[in-house]
Amino acid sequence: MRATTSSDVGVMRDSGADNYFDQSAETMSRDSLLALQFERLRNTLLNAYENVELHRSRMKQLGVDPREVRTMDDVRHLPFTYKTDLRDHYPFGMFARPLTDVVRLHASSGTTGRATVVAYTRADIATWADLMARSLHGAGARAGDVVHNAYGYGLFTGGLGAHYGAERLGATVVPMSGGGTERQIALIMDLGADVLCATPSYALAMAEVAEQQGVDLRKSKLRVGVFGAEPWSDAMRVEIEERLAVKAIDIYGLSEIMGPGVACECVAQAGLHGWEDHFMFEVLDPETQQAVVEGDAGELVITTLSKQALPMLRYRTRDITRVTTAPCECGRTHLRILRITGRSDDMLIIRGVNVYPSQIESVLVGRPMIAPHYQLVVERRGTLDHVTIEVEASMGVDAEAFPSISRDVARHVKSMVGISTDVVVKLPGEIPRSQGKAVRVRDLRPKG
Ligand code: DLL
């Protein structure tokens, strides 16, 4: 029996072999979906108001009565929540349940200060597993598949999130975690993995090591790759699909909201379905904090609708994207997030032009003579920011060709992205490879 959450409205599912398509939830009319959202939103607001001091005081300050919220217009008056709120109330100050009801904690690495700690009740874990199973099924994974899970296990939500979802789907999980790339490749081949879960940058790093070992991963059983946790471009998708012979599916999530499985592409690969029965998505202009016109880019703001331990109201993700509610060819009615371009914190302003690393990636990956590994070095020169793109020559390319490769890349970046850059061509293997989230930017600008 599937565990149910308190706010579960009794979604029935045929969870027999090979059927984790939750048709009643995933294809419900948008009107029913909105009605369900508001019903669940009210429970969330009450949970937050009654159990979390910060939410209560902010709602009071703004004159919001959680019992009075009924329409999207009312939602616009709800307070925002920021990552700093979690830090300021470290470690447990934003939990809506006592630790005795919390069965799991995860935490961000906290590179820029205190870690952010997130909590799950047993029901929260069950919902997460359901949504991850739903995501994996939508991606083309099936009960009976062998799922090779190379997301990091531990405080990071990737490993355990994908693990529980794959088990819930009825798959056989290989709990690899990141690193030990040669061993990963051997096990993908030996255990007959059908599905690979990894960051896109690590998937490429695996492809590269396999090639060096003379192993052809295209001849493995791998059929589907479920890649996320970092921004990646369509050019990267093409590269990965070619080198691994998989259908490369984009999956999104963040620990503050749940972990992986907040949104995931279906096999149409036409945007990530955001699971609106459990989350409410808004796209706001980060400056004015007003909703943008559907289809325009803005900051993704998410409200949880069923989380018990850590309800989040209008969480400012800092992730920049566009969404559409247009019907998808797969029949799912949940809105689609049209790729995450990057985080507003990662946006570079180069002589007035706003640039995300993923835009530069689109130009670099797939170009002849260079490998799909890069880093951007940002420096302050006088009063202006300056970007050096470090790319890597493909194996076997003569060093004499480096100057012309450099000029060629700089010219394309200028014409496609609109910024002038220096391009340094490095030898094969010189750009650091990732085992998890890739570091794309080295920011050498003075802080503060
Ligand atoms: O990265 C959860 C996750 C694990 C998602 C595995 C997908 C797969 P955090 O470590 O909290 O959680 O980082 C969340 O990563 O706000 C985005 O900036 C970025 N991110 C996650 N998925 C994508 C994606 C996990 N598909 C932060 N595309 C988010 C672009 C992504 N960025």
Side-chain angles (χ1 to χ4, degrees):
M1 266 281 283
R2 177 176 88 93
T4 52
T5 63
S6 66
S7 55
D8 202 303
V9 288
V11 171
M12 295 298 291
R13 168 186 301 120
D14 170 6
S15 54
D18 218 30
N19 191 2
Y20 214 88
F21 181 36
D22 190 347
Q23 189 151 11
S24 57
E26 292 178 55
T27 65
M28 71 169 77
S29 73
R30 291 210 52 85
D31 282 350
S32 312
L33 200 48
L34 291 182
L36 176 63
Q37 284 197 317
F38 279 104
E39 185 191 320
R40 291 183 169 183
L41 178 67
R42 275 230 289 281
N43 292 337
T44 296
L45 292 178
L46 284 176
N47 184 20
Y49 189 90
E50 282 164 8
N51 299 311
V52 186
E53 171 56 31
L54 177 76
H55 292 311
R56 181 168 52 246
S57 63
R58 286 210 179 134
M59 280 193 249
K60 277 188 173 161
Q61 225 171 26
L62 294 173
V64 174
D65 181 340
R67 280 158 295 252
E68 300 285 292
V69 170
R70 281 198 182 80
T71 67
M72 202 61 190
D73 237 29
D74 299 331
V75 172
R76 294 197 183 108
H77 299 116
L78 293 173
F80 292 116
T81 312
Y82 302 87
K83 194 179 185 89
T84 48
D85 292 328
L86 279 160
R87 296 218 173 105
D88 294 347
H89 296 85
Y90 174 87
F92 306 142
M94 289 190 64
F95 294 2
R97 290 287 182 279
L99 270 189
T100 44
D101 290 349
V102 169
V103 300
R104 175 103 61 83
L105 299 174
H106 280 281
S108 75
S109 52
T111 44
T112 52
R114 281 172 172 172
T116 49
V117 179
V118 297
Y120 307 77
T121 63
R122 195 173 300 284
D124 290 334
I125 294 283
T127 306
W128 186 11
D130 275 344
L131 291 181
M132 238 348 262
R134 183 195 283 186
S135 299
L136 289 167
H137 189 279
R142 290 293 176 269
D145 279 344
V146 173
V147 174
H148 183 102
N149 186 14
Y151 285 122
Y153 280 68
L155 289 174
F156 175 54
T157 52
L160 285 170
H163 183 108
Y164 273 56
E167 281 193 357
R168 178 61 57 88
L169 178 71
T172 306
V173 190
V174 181
M176 273 308 296
S177 199
T181 309
E182 297 189 1
R183 188 140 176 262
Q184 303 249 6
I185 291 158
L187 288 176
I188 287 174
M189 301 304 284
D190 296 350
L191 307 185
D194 303 283
V195 179
L196 173 63
C197 294
T199 59
S201 58
Y202 191 47
L204 257 191
M206 280 190 213
E208 181 183 55
V209 171
E211 283 156 23
Q212 285 160 4
Q213 288 182 305
V215 176
D216 189 354
L217 278 180
R218 282 171 301 193
K219 298 214 174 100
S220 74
K221 273 185 77 199
L222 283 178
R223 185 181 81 241
V224 181
V226 184
F227 303 126
E230 63 186 7
W232 55 305
S233 59
D234 279 330
M236 185 77 123
R237 175 173 359 235
V238 170
E239 183 83 19
I240 293 175
E241 291 195 333
E242 268 173 24
R243 292 175 70 171
L244 291 174
V246 293
K247 190 156 189 127
I249 296 289
D250 193 1
I251 186 165
Y252 170 77
L254 59 169
S255 55
E256 294 84 353
I257 294 299
M258 181 176 79
V262 171
C264 188
E265 280 184 329
C266 62
V267 291
Q269 295 175 306
L272 300 86
H273 290 285
W275 304 128
E276 288 182 277
D277 47 348
H278 291 276
F279 309 104
M280 187 174 268
F281 299 92
E282 298 170 77
V283 181
L284 303 186
D285 178 326
E287 309 274 290
T288 65
Q289 311 190 337
Q290 299 301 310
V292 300
V293 175
E294 182 175 315
D296 282 1
E299 178 183 344
L300 191 62
V301 174
I302 307 179
T303 301
T304 63
L305 298 176
S306 59
K307 285 278 287 294
Q308 294 181 334
L310 191 61
M312 274 292 174
L313 308 184
R314 307 190 81 199
Y315 183 70
R316 301 287 298 263
T317 67
R318 306 274 177 231
D319 290 323
I320 303 298
T321 191
R322 297 176 291 131
V323 303
T324 176
T325 55
C328 178
E329 64 180 62
C330 71
R332 289 178 183 83
T333 47
H334 295 231
L335 59 68
R336 280 173 292 152
I337 296 170
L338 303 173
R339 266 203 197 282
I340 305 288
T341 324
R343 298 179 57 75
S344 52
D345 326 328
D346 294 340
M347 188 179 80
L348 306 169
I349 305 177
I350 307 298
R351 299 184 193 190
V353 182
N354 298 352
V355 182
Y356 291 96
S358 64
Q359 287 172 276
I360 297 180
E361 175 182 299
S362 303
V363 181
L364 301 179
V365 174
R367 290 208 71 69
M369 322 270 259
I370 59 173
H373 308 284
Y374 67 94
Q375 272 192 339
L376 311 179
V377 183
V378 189
E379 292 160 292
R380 179 72 42 83
R381 291 194 186 161
T383 55
L384 296 177
D385 289 338
H386 183 272
V387 176
T388 303
I389 306 178
E390 295 184 347
V391 296
E392 205 180 274
S394 299
M395 204 63 97
V397 170
D398 198 317
E400 279 185 13
F402 288 10
S404 73
I405 294 173
S406 158
R407 279 194 302 276
D408 183 53
V409 171
R411 193 160 44 80
H412 275 87
V413 170
K414 173 77 186 164
S415 82
M416 308 287 286
V417 186
I419 57 166
S420 301
T421 55
D422 286 337
V423 176
V424 174
V425 184
K426 302 220 154 196
L427 294 171
E430 275 196 332
I431 306 270
R433 303 294 189 258
S434 92
Q435 298 185 341
K437 293 177 192 260
V439 178
R440 299 301 194 192
V441 178
R442 292 204 324 269
D443 193 340
L444 307 181
R445 288 173 293 188
K447 299 276 169 293

